[in-house]
């Protein structure tokens, strides 16, 4: 099928008998043609072809087939044109041999009755060639007699087909280019989505000084919401306060390849902020095609306000918190399983343990416990930061709760030979608190006191003022250097020496404690001297006198 078009000549070779093989097998629709028939430049030639054809060869219907892309003699049905209102006949089926016969050259051919299935009517086969390549076939069911076409008609038909073929070939080539263009448009859409997500404003300006791209943040910073800026000079469209600086930076960048940043005061989106404008020249890559993109200038706009920078940092922080929250949540259940399994092992559920085995299971238990504490702390921290911890406030008997929490450290005090003192100075005083969270606060502080105290005492004391009550946790431990004091309430800060490694911490305890206290409307403060000891004091508001009685801990 590489044969070029031949001169119009009558064709009277009989259609191959193999045409009989082909019945009314359905041929799938070729999507390309649907695009093609709707494509600019094809619809009108199609109408011309059909009109011309019907003038010289009376036909009832015509079917268009296009060669399958990728070769082979197979054709795909593309479209039907009927002169009469629709009839119920099956679609024409084509055998490869019939197609080869029809496409063997560019001449129109008349297939004798019976060439297509059992159909006794006369079909005109009109090969379509364009730009020297076979394109497809028009098959028209005619009202001709079996004698076929006379020479004049044949040459008129072939002329029409040749003309139409060229048009379609150009349209196909055009569609191919369109395809590339739309792939390019897809990539462009992806790129602008990416550029829209950066916090800087970006404006690309071509050699002629016309705008080719403005990202979302630049539109916000420059108040370019409905302005039609594409392909235009941006400067006259800019707000007066920016236009001068913008033009100067642009001119300098184009002259020298770059421009130092300028800062202008902007008001946009209900806020005043310093806007930094800088620019760089973007030169086409040396390795690119010769006719690559021309050089252009990229202007970078930055909102320099502290608020904008803070918002960015907050955003990063939020993402991190979210990640921690998800990760620690996911870690909890497998860890609980490990803890349970180790507990069973060390209780001898799987057989009596040797000393060495017990030593190992103890070690696993300690570390799993530490991991559980760490994960619980991480989860608490991320919930606090996301504002997802809600207090169940009640009127809590402070002394009662303090005594109960201190009691839980009795065994540890004995084991460590530390003097655990409890000084209750707020009898009957109720604070407005979530009993579980208040208990968590006290446990954190007491655990730290034990952790950082080698000898002496750990003390828990309560006291009251006019509208507050306090609970203070003191120890005679290692204390905290003055320089470190401001750090200890920050996340992940662990300062100084550690006394008791068996209670490894996460560096989150005090950060969580402080946030919980503040969530209660309270305050926490610390007084400490290295090698003398520390005192952490939590002050909480008293519960309103009329508040319903309720203490979480007896
Ligand atoms: P960690 O999990 O390390 O205990 P925290 O947030 O509870 O984390 O404490 C932060 C740091 O503050 C500790 O690593 C320690 O250096 C110091 N710290 C807290 N409590 C005490 C204390 N009672 N005595 C001495 N240092 C303390």
């Amino acid at each position: 099928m590489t044969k070029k078009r031949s001169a119009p000549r009558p064709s009277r070779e009989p259609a191959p008998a193999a045409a009989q093989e082909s019945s009314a097998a359905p041929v799938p629709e070729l999507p390309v043609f649907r695009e093609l028939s709707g494509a600019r430049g094809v619809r009108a030639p199609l109408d011309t072809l059909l009109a011309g054809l019907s003038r010289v060869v009376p036909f009832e219907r015509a079917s268009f087939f296009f060669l399958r892309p990728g070769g082979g003699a197979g054709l795909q049905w593309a479209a039907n044109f009927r002169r009469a209102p629709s009839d119920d006949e099956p679609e024409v089926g084509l055998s490869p041999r019939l197609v080869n016969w029809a496409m063997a050259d560019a001449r129109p051919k008349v297939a004798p009755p019976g060439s297509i299935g059992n159909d006794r009517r006369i079909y005109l086969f009109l090969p379509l060639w364009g730009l020297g390549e076979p394109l497809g076939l028009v098959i028209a069911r005619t009202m001709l007699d079996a004698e076929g076409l006379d020479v004049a008609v044949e040459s008129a038909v072939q002329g029409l087909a040749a003309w139409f073929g060229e048009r379609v070939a150009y349209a196909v080539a055009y569609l191919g280019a369109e395809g590339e263009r739309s792939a390019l448009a897809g990539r462009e859409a992806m790129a602008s989505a990416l550029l829209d997500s950066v916090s800087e404003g970006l404006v690309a300006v071509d050699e002629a000084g016309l705008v080719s791209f403005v990202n979302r943040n630049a539109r916000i910073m420059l108040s370019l919401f409905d302005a039609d800026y594409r392909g235009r000079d941006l400067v006259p469209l800019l707000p007066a306060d920016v236009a001068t600086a913008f033009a100067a930076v642009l001119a300098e960048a184009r002259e020298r390849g770059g421009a130092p940043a300028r800062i202008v005061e902007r008001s946009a989106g209900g806020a005043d902020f310093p806007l930094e404008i800088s620019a760089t020249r973007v030169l086409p890559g040396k390795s690119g095609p010769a006719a690559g993109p021309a050089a252009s200038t990229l202007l970078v706009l930055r909102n320099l306000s502290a608020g904008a920078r803070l918002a960015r940092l907050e955003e990063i922080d939020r993402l991190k918190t979210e990640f921690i929250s998800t990760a620690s949540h996911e870690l909890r259940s497998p860890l609980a399983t490990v803890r349970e399994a180790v507990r069973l092992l060390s209780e001898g559920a799987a057989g009596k343990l040797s000393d060495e085995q017990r030593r190992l299971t103890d070690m696993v238990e300690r570390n799993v416990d530490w991991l559980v504490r760490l994960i619980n702390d991480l989860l608490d921290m991320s919930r606090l930061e996301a504002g997802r911890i809600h207090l169940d406030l009640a009127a809590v008997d402070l002394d009662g709760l303090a005594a109960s929490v201190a009691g839980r450290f009795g065994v540890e005090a004995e084991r460590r030979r530390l003097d655990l003192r409890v000084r209750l100075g707020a009898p009957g005083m109720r604070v407005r608190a979530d009993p579980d969270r208040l208990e968590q606060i006290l446990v954190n502080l007491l655990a730290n006191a034990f952790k950082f105290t080698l000898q002496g005492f750990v003390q828990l004391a309560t006291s009251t003022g006019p509208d507050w009550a306090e609970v203070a946790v003191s120890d005679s431990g290692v204390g905290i250097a003055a320089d470190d004091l401001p750090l200890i309430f920050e996340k992940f800060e662990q300062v100084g020496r550690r006394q008791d490694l068996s209670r490894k911490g996460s560096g989150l305890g005090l950060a969580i404690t402080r946030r919980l206290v503040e969530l209660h409307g309270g305050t926490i403060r610390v007084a400490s001297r290295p090698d003398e000891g520390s005192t952490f004091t939590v002050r909480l508001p008293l519960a309103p006198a009329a508040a319903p009685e309720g203490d979480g801990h007896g």
Side-chain angles (χ1 to χ4, degrees):
M1 301 247 275
T2 53
K3 207 167 156 188
K4 303 281 156 170
R5 233 168 309 142
S6 53
R9 222 169 1 89
S11 165
R12 303 246 193 273
E13 298 96 350
Q20 305 281 357
E21 297 161 6
S22 115
S23 59
V27 187
E29 194 171 344
L30 182 68
V32 162
F33 187 79
R34 256 191 281 120
E35 271 177 80
L36 201 62
S37 60
R40 255 170 302 150
V42 171
R43 194 72 234 187
L46 202 60
D47 289 340
T48 309
L49 174 71
L50 290 169
L53 201 61
S54 65
R55 238 176 285 129
V56 288
V57 182
F59 71 93
E60 292 165 6
R61 52 184 286 171
S63 301
F64 281 75
F65 294 84
F66 279 80
L67 290 172
R68 279 178 217 278
L75 291 184
Q76 285 195 349
W77 176 78
N80 261 333
F81 294 90
R82 293 185 177 123
R83 290 174 57 83
S86 105
D87 48 31
D88 300 332
E89 286 163 62
E91 297 296 340
V92 174
L94 294 171
S95 76
R97 287 185 67 187
L98 189 61
V99 170
N100 283 335
W101 167 76
M103 292 301 297
D105 58 32
R107 286 176 299 172
K109 299 166 187 77
V110 172
S115 301
I116 296 176
N118 297 321
D119 198 333
R120 306 308 300 168
R121 282 164 294 198
I122 309 293
Y123 284 86
L124 173 67
F125 282 62
L126 192 59
L128 294 174
W129 290 67
L131 298 173
E133 294 294 326
L135 288 176
L137 200 55
V138 179
I139 300 176
R141 196 173 74 202
T142 67
M143 297 160 203
L144 294 172
D145 59 33
E147 281 307 67
L149 307 173
D150 75 47
V151 179
V153 168
E154 186 182 85
S155 88
V157 168
Q158 188 169 357
L160 269 174
W163 170 82
F164 178 70
E166 294 301 325
R167 289 302 179 92
V168 171
Y170 280 119
V172 168
Y174 173 79
L175 264 187
E178 278 280 88
E180 257 166 46
R181 260 195 292 280
S182 81
L184 206 64
R187 284 198 291 273
E188 215 171 79
M190 171 100 79
S192 47
L194 266 176
L195 293 173
D196 276 352
S197 70
V198 304
S199 56
E200 280 83 15
L202 300 172
V203 180
V205 175
D206 70 11
E207 272 314 77
L210 308 178
V211 165
S212 55
F213 176 79
V214 182
N215 79 344
R216 194 171 56 99
N217 274 332
R219 288 197 294 276
I220 294 169
M221 291 170 182
L222 298 174
S223 311
L224 281 177
F225 294 111
D226 14 64
D228 181 15
Y229 46 78
R230 266 189 102 98
R232 292 178 62 181
D233 178 4
L234 196 55
V235 175
L237 303 175
L238 291 179
D241 51 349
V242 189
T244 319
F246 191 92
V249 170
L250 181 58
E252 199 170 335
R254 291 172 67 184
E255 233 165 74
R256 300 202 203 146
R262 285 177 194 228
I263 296 171
V264 287
E265 289 302 320
R266 269 295 285 142
S267 324
D272 296 334
F273 58 92
L275 177 68
E276 182 196 76
I277 306 175
S278 59
T280 48
R281 290 278 284 163
V282 182
L283 296 168
K286 284 203 186 95
S287 56
S296 57
T297 308
L298 183 68
L299 288 111
V300 181
L301 312 174
R302 263 188 213 98
N303 179 339
L304 291 186
S305 74
R309 266 174 291 157
L310 199 67
R312 180 84 192 122
L313 290 176
E314 277 171 355
E315 171 67 8
I316 292 169
D317 209 49
R318 189 186 59 76
L319 291 173
K320 194 195 62 201
T321 302
E322 230 162 63
F323 167 75
I324 289 175
S325 162
T326 318
S328 37
H329 195 78
E330 293 301 317
L331 283 170
R332 264 205 330 189
S333 32
L335 213 54
T337 313
V338 172
R339 180 148 78 163
E340 187 53 23
V342 179
R343 196 184 58 79
L344 286 171
L345 265 185
S346 57
E347 279 176 0
K352 202 174 169 335
L353 299 186
S354 70
D355 287 351
E356 179 59 8
Q357 285 166 338
R358 176 161 299 285
R359 197 183 63 77
L360 290 171
T361 52
D362 282 355
M363 189 177 78
V364 173
E365 248 180 324
R366 268 199 314 278
N367 279 280
V368 169
D369 281 348
W370 171 67
L371 267 179
V372 169
R373 278 200 306 276
L374 176 62
I375 284 168
N376 285 340
D377 280 359
L378 281 171
L379 256 183
D380 265 352
M381 194 68 215
S382 64
R383 285 190 187 136
L384 278 165
E385 288 192 327
R388 284 207 311 262
I389 282 192
H390 299 288
L391 298 181
D392 235 343
L393 290 174
V396 180
D397 168 15
L398 185 63
D399 278 3
L401 181 66
S404 136
V405 172
R408 287 170 45 187
F409 284 83
V411 175
E412 178 158 7
E414 231 164 83
R415 184 174 63 80
R416 304 268 311 277
R417 299 213 176 112
L418 292 173
D419 179 14
L420 176 58
R421 306 175 187 161
V422 181
R423 305 264 187 270
L424 299 177
M429 283 301 186
R430 295 175 184 277
V431 289
R432 201 168 62 98
D434 178 325
D436 293 337
R437 294 301 181 180
L438 183 51
E439 182 176 334
Q440 185 181 355
I441 290 168
L442 297 184
V443 167
N444 276 352
L445 294 176
L446 278 168
N448 273 351
F450 276 95
K451 194 160 44 167
F452 296 101
T453 304
L454 261 191
Q455 53 186 348
F457 69 92
V458 169
Q459 174 177 296
L460 187 73
T462 56
S463 58
T464 59
D467 53 359
W468 47 259
E470 279 182 351
V471 52
V473 177
S474 320
D475 60 63
S476 58
V478 294
I480 302 162
D483 285 352
D484 290 336
L485 279 177
L487 296 178
I488 58 172
F489 292 105
E490 299 303 320
K491 285 185 282 182
F492 305 111
E493 288 292 348
Q494 297 180 317
V495 301
R497 296 164 282 158
R498 171 143 295 105
Q499 298 296 302
D500 177 4
L501 284 172
S502 71
R503 283 200 63 108
K504 227 189 310 178
S506 61
L508 284 170
L510 285 180
I512 292 171
T513 301
R514 188 192 69 187
R515 280 174 168 77
L516 283 176
V517 169
E518 286 170 356
L519 209 56
H520 279 89
T523 57
I524 182 168
R525 59 183 192 275
V526 58
S528 185
R529 276 171 186 279
D531 298 322
E532 283 180 24
S534 318
T535 299
F536 288 83
T537 308
V538 173
R539 177 177 288 193
L540 291 169
L542 291 180
E549 295 277 302
D551 61 8
H553 293 265

